[in-house]
Amino acid sequence: MSTRKFGAPIKRNIDPKLLTGNGAFTDDINLPGVLHAAFVRSPFARARINGIDTSLAEQADGVVAVYTCDNIGHLDIELPLLIPHPSMTAARTQRPLARGDVYYVGQTVAMVVAVDRYVAEDAANLVDVDYHPLDVELDLEKAIEDGTPLVHPTHPNNIAADFTQVCGNPEAAFAEAEHVTRIRVQVDRSTAAAMECRTVAARYDSVRGELTVWDGTQAPLGVRGGLASIFGLDEDKVRVIAPDVGGGFGQKVMFPYPDELLVPHAAIQLGRPVKYIEDRRENFIGSNQERTQIHEIELFAKKNGEVIALRDSFLHDTGAFIPYGIAVAQVASTSIAGPYQIPNIHVRFRAVYTPTVPVTPYRGCGRPQACFAIERAMDQLAEELGIDRFEIRRRNLIRDEQFPYTREGLLFADGLRVKLDSGQYTKALEMAREAIGWDNFAASQEAARKEGKAIGLGLAYYVEGTGLGPYEGGHIKIHPITGKVYVNTGLTSQGQGHDTVFAQIVSDQLGVAVEDVIVVEGDTGTFEWGVATFASRAAVVSGNAIHKTAIKVREQTIKAAANMLEADPADIELEDGHAVVAGTDRKVSLAAIATATNPLRYAFNSAAQAATQFAPASRHDGPPLIDGQHPGLEATDYFSPECATWAYGVHAAIVEIDRDTCDVEVKKYICIHDCGNMINPVIVDGQVMGGFAQGIGGALYERIEYDTEGNPTNANFVDFLIPYATEVPAIEISHLETPSPLNPLGVKGVGEAGCIAVGATLASGIEDALRPFGGKKFHQTPITPSMIFGAISNG
Amino acid sequence: MSRHEHLERSIPSTSADPKAEVTLTVNGVSVTREVSTRMLLSDFIRHGLRLTGTHVGCEHGVCGACTVMIDGRAARSCLTFAVQADGADIRTIESEAEEDGTLSALQQAFQECHGLQCGYCTPGMIMNIRAHFDSGEELDLSDEGIRELISGNLCRCTGYANIVKAVRRAAELAGKA
C-alpha cells in the first residue's frame, strides 16, 4: 500500500515554476499589440463634477482613446450590489466612471488608453476635470449625528444599514446579572496589500465573438457572470482566467471593480488587447479596504464570572459604497460571543457611509474586530471580578459535550444559523496556559518589575467560521496518454497551495504520485460551476467536492481494471499509477485503463491499439459504449456544506515594553490552533504564520490615514507600515485536530486564523505590562508607540 | 455598436518618447536595444526582454520585489532607468536554476522549507539573498542575522519564518553554514 498523502508535509507542485521566474501573472502574459489603460481619479473626497475636458489628452501622442461616463454606453450604470440584504435600503454602489459626483479620493473619473503605460499615465494628467468640492465628515461617530455632511443625500445620518440580531432572551438575562462590564473598543482601517496589485487584461476575438479576460481575481466565475450580464453576452462567449495571482486576502474577491469592465470594453471597442496594471498608490486609493469598527460591548455576568448575556452595538465603516453588502459587519456580529457559551446575545450594528475607499472583506473579515471586542471585555471582567484571565475563560467556554452548539437567531454570512460544530476548547486553553508558562509568570513578572522592566502576558481566544457554501465542484479525468490525473475546480489560488492539497486528496484515492495530479483552476473555460476563494473555504468546499469526485473515479477505475485483469473488484488495489491484483504481480497502468475504457477507431499510438474496433478486447456483440456508459475514467461531483464549520484557537504572548522608546518586543508568542484534520501541516502552518504577520501589522503598525478633508496621507509603502522580517516575531504553533462532522474529510478552513487574535493578544499583554506604570487600558489597534507614550506619561 | 466604431482606428505602434541605445549583459548574454530614456530597468527587463520573473510590487523602491543583481550587487530595478544600466552586468531570477532546469540550492531550500506562497516576492527575495551569498561576506545565520539580510524585501504571505529557515538551509546546502 502507498503511504497516505492526506496529512503529510508534501512539497508543493507549483514551487519550481514560481522559483524560476516562470510563473504567469497577468502582466507576464504576452499579448501582442496590447494597449495600456490608466485612470483619472478624484482628488476630492466629495465633490460635484461641473465638467470634464478630455481634448488635450486625446491629442497627446500615443493616446488611442479617452473614456468618461458619457462614452461608455451600457456601462454607465450603478454597479451590482453583490450580496443584497433586507437591512439595507437603496444600497449605494459606484459607477465605473463618475457621473455628476465623486465620493472618495481615488474614485475613477476617466480612463485613458494609450500605446504604453507611460504615455497613458501622462495623458491621464491632461484630462481637465472641474470639481466643486463639498463638505465631508471623516469621523465615524460624528458621521451619524444630525446635520453632518452626507456622503449620499439618499441616506440620512450616513446610515447604510441598521441591523440587530438576538439569540436567547437577553432582556431577561440582563436583569439577572450580578456584574456588568462595559467597554468601547476600536479597530482601525487597514488594507490587504497583496504584493501583486490588481490586474486585468482583455482580448476580444471579433471573428468568434469571444471575450477573454485575464484577471488577478479570487472570483473568476463571478467576474464572468458580471461581464456576461453587463455586456449582454452568452456566458460561453466570456472566458475569465485568473492566472498566477500574487496574493489576494479578500481584496480581490470583490468584483467588478471599474477596470474589470472598462478594460474589456476598450478591448472590444478598439479591436486590440488592453491591459491595466494597478500601481501601488492606486491600490491604496482605489481598491477596497477593511477594518474600522467601534464596538460598545457589555458583558452581563454572575459573580463567579459566568457570562449570562452580551450586548454589543457597533459602528461599521463601509466607506463610500457598500457593494459587498453587510458581509463584514455580519461576520463580526455573529462571531461576537467567540468560543463562549453566552446563551443570550443582543448585537446591533450600523454600517456607516464615509467618503473613503469602499469597504469589503480583507483577511479576517470582521473576525479580528469581534475578537478584539469580546476578548478585551473578557479581560476587563476578569480584572473587575478578581478572577484570573485563563480561569474566567475556562468557566465560560463551550464544553466538548455541548457540540454542536447552535446560536439560534444569529445568521452567519452564508444565511445559515451559527452552529459551532466541534472542538476541544478547554483543552486548547490548557495547552496555551502551559505553553506560555502562565503558572510561573506572575513570579517572573514581579522579578522583572523590580528591575523596572515592563513585562506582560497577553491572551486571546478566537473562533473562525470557515468553509461557507453554497457549493464547489470537482472534475477529474485520467488522461489516456500519460496516465496523469487532471483535476479542475471553479475557485482559484493566490498562493494557498491548492494544487498540492487537492492533489494529495486525489492521490489517496487513485494511487498516483502527488506530482502526477495536475490541478487546473481559475479558468472558466475549464470548469464553470462554483463560487470563489474567500472565507477560508477552498480546502473545505472544493477539497470535499474533489474528494467525492475522486471516489467516483476510483470506483470506475477498479471496475474497469477488474474486467481487464479478470479479477474480483474487491481484490484490486490502486498504487503507483497502476491497478494491481492484490498479492500478485498482475497489474495494468491507469493510462492503459483510461485508454481501454475509451472505444477508439484510430490507433494513434501503441496503447490506443488495444481500444480499436478489431482489438481482442473489443466488443463485437453490441455498441462499444454501453447505453449509459461514458468513455474514459472521468467524473464530476459537488459538495455543498450544511453550514459553515468553525475553527478556533488561542494566542498568548509575553511582551516587554521599552519605556524609553515605547517599542513593543514580543519575547514569546504561542498559538494553539485547530482546523480539524490537516491535509498538509506545512501548508497549514504557512497559512497561520502568514495570517499572524498580517495580525502583527494590524496590531502594531498598519493604519490607513485620512486627513480631515478625506485625503489619504499614507498611500504608499514608505508611510503605511507593513511588517518586514525584522518586525515579525517568531511564533510557536501547536495543533489540535478535532474533525468537523460537517464534511467527509473532517476539515475546517485555516486562511484567516492567524490574523484574528493578534491585536487582542498584544493589547492584553501591553496592558498587563504597563499596569504598574500608568494603568491605562488599550482598547484600540494599531497600538503605536505614541499611544504607549501617552499611556505612560499620563500615568 | 455604432457604424463608425467598425472602422479600424489608426493606432501608433510606439510612443513619441525620445530613445537611446543601451548595451548591457543580462544573465551572461550581451544585448543591445533602443529604449525610451525614461523606461525603468524593471520594465525593460520584463517587457523589453520578456524576462518576466522579475516582479514589481510598489515601483517606489520599498518592497524589493523587483530586486535584481547589477554588477554583483542587489539593486531595485524599479529605481533604476534602463539607460543607467548601459554597460552593466545584470542577473535576474532566470539565471538562478541550472540550464536543464535543476533548481539551485537556494531555490531547493525555498521549496523544502515552504518559503513561498504566492511567489510574487520570491524572485526579488532570492536575488537579494543570492547577492549576499556570492559577495564573499561572512553570513550571519542567526535568526536575527537572516531577518536583517532579508529586511529589504516585503512578503505578505509567509510571515517570513519559513524564509528564514530557507536561507539557513540554503547556506547549509551551499556549504556556507
Side-chain angles (χ1 to χ4, degrees):
Chain A
M1 280 297 288
S2 318
T3 321
R4 192 166 182 237
K5 300 297 189 299
F6 188 107
I10 306 271
K11 287 196 285 191
R12 302 198 319 167
N13 284 346
I14 198 173
D15 285 354
K17 177 178 88 163
L18 297 174
L19 283 164
T20 51
N22 286 309
F25 298 85
T26 305
D27 195 32
D28 301 344
I29 295 165
N30 190 18
L31 298 170
V34 71
L35 302 172
H36 296 255
F39 285 90
V40 178
R41 294 174 181 276
S42 170
F44 291 101
R46 191 69 182 83
R48 190 145 301 134
I49 295 175
N50 294 326
I52 305 176
D53 182 356
T54 59
S55 54
L56 274 179
E58 283 166 14
Q59 290 157 22
D61 278 333
V63 169
V64 181
V66 181
Y67 296 95
T68 68
C69 62
D70 287 330
N71 63 350
I72 54 171
H74 63 280
L75 296 185
D76 182 31
I77 51 168
E78 288 197 357
L79 294 173
L81 169 63
L82 290 177
I83 309 177
H85 188 275
S87 65
M88 294 180 291
T89 46
R92 298 301 308 269
T93 60
Q94 79 180 81
R95 309 175 87 88
L97 294 172
R99 170 171 290 284
D101 284 65
V102 285
Y103 299 88
Y104 63 96
V105 173
Q107 185 177 349
T108 46
V109 174
M111 181 176 83
V112 175
V113 178
V115 293
D116 67 35
R117 193 174 148 210
Y118 295 76
V119 173
E121 289 184 3
D122 283 356
N125 285 328
L126 297 175
V127 173
D128 186 14
V129 186
D130 178 11
Y131 296 98
H132 173 72
L134 301 172
D135 291 339
V136 293
E137 177 56 64
L138 271 287
D139 183 285
L140 193 58
E141 287 169 314
K142 288 184 187 154
I144 59 170
E145 289 173 1
D146 292 339
T148 298
L150 297 179
V151 177
H152 302 287
T154 45
H155 287 73
N157 303 86
N158 291 307
I159 302 293
D162 186 341
F163 188 52
T164 298
Q165 294 199 78
V166 174
C167 173
N169 186 351
E171 291 301 330
F174 296 156
E176 288 171 24
E178 295 164 358
H179 185 88
V180 183
T181 198
R182 292 186 179 83
I183 60 169
R184 173 195 177 280
V185 301
Q186 177 169 339
V187 174
D188 286 339
R189 186 184 282 226
S190 187
T191 186
M195 293 314 300
E196 183 192 32
C197 293
R198 291 193 316 95
T199 59
V200 56
R203 182 170 64 196
Y204 183 66
D205 177 345
S206 59
V207 176
R208 298 169 64 94
E210 286 177 357
L211 176 65
T212 304
V213 178
W214 293 265
D215 189 332
T217 179
Q218 297 171 228
L221 284 162
V223 173
R224 186 188 68 164
L227 286 169
S229 33
I230 293 168
F231 284 79
L233 293 168
D234 291 334
E235 283 177 297
D236 279 351
K237 296 294 187 193
V238 183
R239 181 178 179 188
V240 177
I241 301 165
D244 289 323
V245 176
F249 315 119
Q251 188 181 64
K252 298 175 183 174
V253 77
M254 168 64 202
F255 70 90
Y257 284 98
D259 45 86
E260 287 175 302
L261 298 176
L262 294 165
V263 167
H265 177 71
I268 294 170
Q269 289 254 309
L270 302 174
R272 288 273 286 268
V274 178
K275 73 175 162 186
Y276 167 65
I277 307 300
E278 182 186 64
D279 73 20
R280 185 55 61 182
R281 178 172 173 274
E282 292 178 294
N283 185 263
F284 273 106
I285 65 173
S287 287
N288 296 2
Q289 304 171 341
E290 192 216 303
R291 285 288 191 266
T292 308
Q293 286 181 359
I294 300 173
H295 288 248
E296 293 192 21
I297 183 170
E298 296 163 283
L299 300 182
F300 298 80
K302 297 285 190 187
K303 288 279 187 221
N304 67 1
E306 182 196 349
V307 181
I308 56 173
L310 176 161
R311 180 161 55 201
D312 181 34
S313 174
F314 68 92
L315 299 179
H316 167 77
D317 174 7
T318 192
F321 297 99
I322 193 162
Y324 211 76
I326 60 165
V328 175
Q330 187 160 23
V331 170
S333 64
T334 46
S335 306
I336 193 67
Y340 309 114
Q341 296 175 31
I342 311 181
N344 303 294
I345 299 167
H346 184 282
V347 56
R348 175 196 186 194
F349 66 79
R350 281 166 289 174
V352 182
Y353 288 120
T354 58
T356 59
V357 173
V359 167
T360 58
Y362 155 47
R363 192 182 206 173
C365 184
R367 298 172 184 86
Q369 299 96 312
C371 176
F372 193 71
I374 178 69
E375 289 302 280
R376 298 284 41 231
M378 204 54 103
D379 271 9
Q380 179 164 303
L381 181 66
E383 190 173 355
E384 288 172 358
L385 293 177
I387 301 173
D388 105 34
R389 286 178 282 161
F390 281 85
E391 179 58 20
I392 200 162
R393 287 174 167 84
R394 194 189 62 78
R395 290 182 193 174
N396 284 288
L397 288 175
I398 296 167
R399 296 188 306 273
D400 295 3
E401 67 276 13
Q402 291 177 300
F403 290 108
Y405 193 84
T406 304
R407 298 199 195 277
E408 293 290 348
L410 301 192
L411 293 185
F412 196 51
D414 52 5
L416 300 166
R417 286 184 313 174
V418 170
K419 188 169 95 171
L420 300 123
D421 49 317
S422 67
Q424 305 171 68
Y425 289 4
T426 307
K427 184 173 181 185
L429 185 72
E430 288 306 319
M431 288 169 71
R433 178 189 182 117
E434 181 144 331
I436 201 66
W438 174 245
D439 295 338
N440 301 323
F441 180 71
S444 52
Q445 185 180 40
E446 194 50 42
R449 280 178 179 166
K450 280 187 180 141
E451 295 172 29
K453 287 184 179 172
I455 288 186
L457 186 149
L459 162 71
Y461 214 117
Y462 70 91
V463 293
E464 182 196 1
T466 75
L468 281 65
Y471 80 96
E472 291 292 339
H475 168 247
I476 298 177
K477 180 172 72 176
I478 299 179
H479 199 291
I481 307 264
T482 61
K484 288 187 183 179
V485 181
Y486 283 77
V487 179
N488 311 118
T489 188
L491 48 65
T492 187
S493 175
Q494 306 82 42
Q496 298 91 332
H498 295 173
D499 71 320
T500 305
V501 293
F502 294 159
Q504 288 175 253
I505 291 168
V506 172
S507 168
D508 279 344
Q509 293 304 325
L510 301 181
V512 292
V514 169
E515 56 268 30
D516 286 335
V517 181
I518 313 299
V519 176
V520 178
E521 53 178 2
D523 179 352
T524 64
T526 305
F527 193 79
E528 61 175 345
W529 298 108
V531 188
T533 303
F534 62 92
S536 308
R537 67 189 295 276
V540 181
V541 193
S542 277
N544 278 290
I546 288 166
H547 172 69
K548 288 173 68 184
T549 309
I551 289 172
K552 284 187 171 177
V553 175
R554 175 185 173 83
E555 284 165 1
Q556 291 173 19
T557 307
I558 286 177
K559 190 174 164 194
N563 194 27
M564 291 170 79
L565 295 165
E566 297 177 333
D568 185 335
D571 294 333
I572 301 288
E573 288 175 357
L574 303 182
E575 58 187 45
D576 300 332
H578 288 78
V580 184
V581 181
T584 74
D585 58 1
R586 287 157 56 210
K587 62 180 185 180
V588 56
S589 72
L590 292 195
I593 305 168
T595 299
T597 49
N598 175 28
L600 292 171
R601 180 173 178 83
Y602 306 117
F604 41 75
N605 65 17
S606 58
Q609 288 174 13
T612 51
Q613 56 269 48
F614 301 110
S618 293
R619 284 165 58 97
H620 305 292
D621 57 349
L625 210 54
I626 297 164
D627 198 25
Q629 209 179 23
H630 64 79
L633 302 172
E634 181 176 23
T636 301
D637 206 347
Y638 302 89
F639 178 69
S640 183
E642 172 193 326
C643 61
T645 172
W646 289 69
Y648 66 95
V650 192
H651 286 200
I654 293 174
V655 300
E656 179 172 353
I657 317 300
D658 182 321
R659 288 193 288 137
D660 293 326
T661 63
C662 297
D663 184 46
V664 178
E665 185 194 351
V666 177
K667 301 183 81 71
K668 187 179 174 77
Y669 200 108
I670 67 101
C671 162
I672 313 298
H673 170 258
D674 188 349
C675 63
N677 296 330
M678 292 190 285
I679 304 170
N680 185 325
V682 173
I683 285 177
V684 167
D685 279 353
Q687 286 292 315
V688 174
M689 292 188 290
F692 169 64
Q694 289 179 0
I696 289 286
L700 300 176
Y701 301 105
E702 297 171 9
R703 175 194 281 139
I704 296 284
E705 308 265 9
Y706 287 95
D707 68 15
T708 53
E709 294 183 337
N711 298 298
T713 56
N714 62 348
N716 59 70
F717 275 168
V718 178
D719 300 309
F720 180 84
L721 303 174
I722 289 180
Y724 286 97
T726 39
E727 280 72 52
V728 180
I731 177 173
E732 299 162 31
I733 305 168
S734 304
H735 296 284
L736 285 166
E737 290 188 78
T738 317
S740 171
L742 298 176
N743 61 72
L745 293 171
V747 297
K748 302 179 180 186
V750 63
E752 295 165 283
C755 75
I756 299 171
V758 187
T761 303
L762 292 185
S764 172
I766 293 167
E767 191 171 291
D768 187 41
L770 296 178
R771 192 167 286 119
F773 305 100
K776 284 284 191 296
K777 301 291 186 186
F778 287 85
H779 288 170
Q780 184 174 354
T781 55
I783 300 171
T784 59
S786 42
M787 285 163 70
I788 293 173
F789 180 74
I792 298 176
S793 53
N794 294 336
Chain B
M1 216 178 260
S2 65
R3 194 167 293 169
H4 74 272
E5 284 168 341
H6 287 281
L7 297 177
E8 187 72 16
R9 294 183 190 226
S10 169
I11 297 177
S13 57
T14 61
S15 76
D17 281 355
K19 306 279 194 298
E21 191 180 275
V22 292
T23 298
L24 61 168
T25 305
V26 179
N27 299 336
V29 179
S30 175
V31 292
T32 299
R33 291 281 197 286
E34 190 173 72
V35 298
S36 151
T37 51
R38 62 169 169 169
M39 179 175 272
L40 301 177
L41 180 60
S42 51
D43 281 340
F44 175 66
I45 290 169
R46 289 179 44 74
H47 302 300
L49 302 179
R50 294 219 53 75
L51 295 173
T52 53
T54 300
H55 298 148
V56 291
C58 72
E59 293 175 293
H60 52 266
V62 184
C63 78
C66 68
T67 302
V68 298
M69 283 165 67
I70 303 179
D71 295 330
R73 299 184 57 167
R76 285 160 163 40
S77 60
C78 80
L79 290 186
T80 311
F81 289 113
V83 290
Q84 288 176 284
D86 188 37
D89 181 35
I90 309 281
R91 272 186 68 183
T92 71
I93 188 66
E94 283 84 357
S95 70
E96 181 65 17
E98 304 287 327
E99 288 281 343
D100 66 358
T102 306
L103 300 182
S104 71
L106 188 47
Q107 290 167 319
Q108 286 172 36
F110 264 72
Q111 183 177 25
E112 204 177 293
C113 301
H114 188 31
L116 68 158
Q117 289 185 26
C118 80
Y120 198 76
C121 75
T122 313
M125 192 75 83
I126 287 185
M127 293 319 289
N128 176 29
I129 300 162
R130 166 60 55 208
H132 284 279
F133 273 28
D134 288 2
S135 70
E137 73 193 56
E138 193 172 334
L139 298 172
D140 175 358
L141 294 175
S142 66
D143 266 27
E144 266 188 2
I146 295 173
R147 284 177 186 270
E148 197 60 42
L149 190 153
I150 59 171
S151 68
N153 295 77
L154 282 175
C155 168
R156 194 62 162 165
C157 293
T158 64
Y160 303 105
N162 285 344
I163 298 177
V164 173
K165 272 192 210 168
V167 173
R168 189 173 294 124
R169 177 68 180 140
E172 234 172 69
L173 290 173
K176 291 178 186 293

